[in-house]
Amino acid sequence: MKTAIVTDSTAYIPKELRDSLHIHMIPLSVILGGETYREEIDITANDFYEEVVTQDKLPTTSQPPVGEFAEMFEKLARDYDEVISIHLSSGISGTYQGAGQAEGMVEGIKVYPYDSEISCMVQGFYALEAAKLAREGKGAEEIIQVLDEMKKSVQAYFMVDDLAHLQRGGRLSQAQAIIGSLLQVKPLLHFVDKVIVPFEKIRTRKKALKRIEGLLDDAVKDGGAYRASIIHANREGEAVEWMKELSEKYPNVEFDVSYFGPVIGTHLGEGSMGLGWARKMT
């Protein structure tokens, strides 16, 4: 069996890496200034953050049409027997459900939609692992067993920097935003049962990042091999410096720097920072 790997744009896997591992990507879209842009294709993260500050209205986002999934799966059917389609958490987007709906619209290929129950580069960890196993000739069911095992060790925490942004998006009252800003509150968020929920409220950005580091420390102190991604919203310099610090402290963890692209950045806001990790499976 020849197995294809698909993920969506919110995994934010660099194009060169996707291409080298034959990972196929279907984009979500952001609606900005009345125009619709497919992230990772029509608009970069840098362009998004430059443009969003000039807009009066907060951007909105949309999932891929089911027809785009069906079209991709039909093309893959020419060369593959099966496909694992890995997507951001079904609790925050209907993208995973869209892949499932498209499954019944195509013939000649078996489709396995997979709910990562998370997003960003941590979602990408699943696609990277699946692609590696597919290249080794593993079939979809065997690959999914490995992904399910990896899921037991996956964690991610996100610090929201701009409370006003959350307030504009309807996720925080104006009074809460004003009080929080005065107190320099930096909410930490994480995924629980597929949805994003508050974890803690921390005073100051520095303390928030230190708290996330402590959570990483608890998770990887067993000395096992892990991979981790520092994820930023237009704060690359800060992310790189943090990666250098963490790499020295945790030699058993392989770090990289990723980003919150337009779709996820719309909901979290510029200045947000996250850290996610998972145990290496192979």
Side-chain angles (χ1 to χ4, degrees):
M1 299 290 284
K2 194 173 180 185
T3 307
I5 306 302
V6 170
T7 193
D8 60 69
S9 57
T10 66
Y12 303 123
I13 301 171
K15 186 178 187 304
E16 318 82 68
L17 186 55
R18 292 200 313 267
D19 290 347
S20 68
L21 295 173
H22 305 291
I23 296 172
H24 306 270
M25 187 273 287
I26 192 159
L28 279 75
S29 297
V30 60
I31 298 88
L32 182 64
E35 299 289 333
T36 299
Y37 302 92
R38 296 169 299 169
E39 69 170 357
E40 303 287 273
I41 297 175
D42 303 323
I43 189 170
T44 66
N46 289 340
D47 290 341
F48 169 76
Y49 289 113
E50 285 182 9
E51 183 64 26
V52 74
V53 296
T54 70
Q55 302 294 319
D56 294 328
K57 291 184 178 180
L58 201 66
T60 56
T61 60
S62 64
Q63 66 199 49
V66 174
E68 286 190 19
F69 279 108
E71 183 179 352
M72 175 175 282
F73 295 157
E74 286 173 355
K75 288 180 180 178
L76 291 173
R78 300 169 191 169
D79 300 303
Y80 296 91
D81 304 299
E82 54 188 14
V83 55
I84 303 173
S85 201
I86 301 167
H87 299 292
L88 77 163
S89 179
S90 62
I92 62 172
S93 170
T95 303
Y96 164 78
Q97 288 88 341
Q101 291 170 19
E103 177 185 6
M105 300 167 62
V106 296
E107 296 180 354
I109 191 167
K110 174 64 176 173
V111 179
Y112 293 83
Y114 191 82
D115 187 350
S116 75
E117 303 184 16
I118 206 158
S119 188
C120 300
M121 192 57 187
V122 189
Q123 169 191 336
F125 290 169
Y126 291 101
L128 295 173
E129 184 69 27
K132 179 180 177 183
L133 294 170
R135 293 179 77 176
E136 294 173 359
K138 302 292 193 297
E141 293 186 359
E142 186 176 355
I143 292 171
I144 288 172
Q145 286 182 351
V146 175
L147 301 186
D148 285 343
E149 185 64 28
M150 186 173 77
K151 189 174 282 185
K152 297 175 183 178
S153 68
V154 167
Q155 295 185 59
Y157 296 87
F158 310 94
M159 177 204 71
V160 176
D161 186 66
D162 186 358
L163 294 179
H165 189 100
L166 282 177
Q167 188 265 323
R168 286 175 64 199
R171 294 168 179 81
L172 196 67
S173 74
Q174 186 172 5
Q176 287 175 313
I178 292 171
I179 294 169
S181 296
L182 290 173
L183 297 176
Q184 292 187 289
V185 170
K186 305 298 180 186
L188 292 188
L189 312 174
H190 66 153
F191 278 86
V192 175
D193 296 330
K194 306 179 184 180
V195 298
I196 300 172
V197 298
F199 177 70
E200 287 180 3
K201 292 180 180 179
I202 309 290
R203 291 282 299 276
T204 80
R205 184 181 184 90
K206 183 177 180 180
K207 289 180 180 178
L209 296 181
K210 199 68 180 175
R211 176 66 173 121
I212 295 175
E213 182 180 330
L215 293 163
L216 171 70
D217 188 89
D218 290 341
V220 307
K221 61 186 177 184
D222 60 4
Y226 289 81
R227 67 177 306 162
S229 188
I230 294 168
I231 310 167
H232 69 93
N234 208 27
R235 295 293 186 273
E236 184 174 11
E238 183 180 2
V240 170
E241 285 302 312
W242 197 23
M243 182 179 72
K244 290 177 182 176
E245 294 175 14
L246 293 177
S247 296
E248 292 177 0
K249 292 182 179 180
Y250 302 102
N252 61 318
V253 183
E254 178 186 335
F255 290 92
D256 65 40
V257 169
S258 187
Y259 53 89
F260 296 112
V263 168
I264 303 300
T266 289
H267 302 292
L268 293 182
E270 183 173 351
S272 297
M273 191 79 77
L275 178 62
W277 57 87
R279 180 183 286 274
K280 289 184 177 182
M281 302 307 297
T282 53

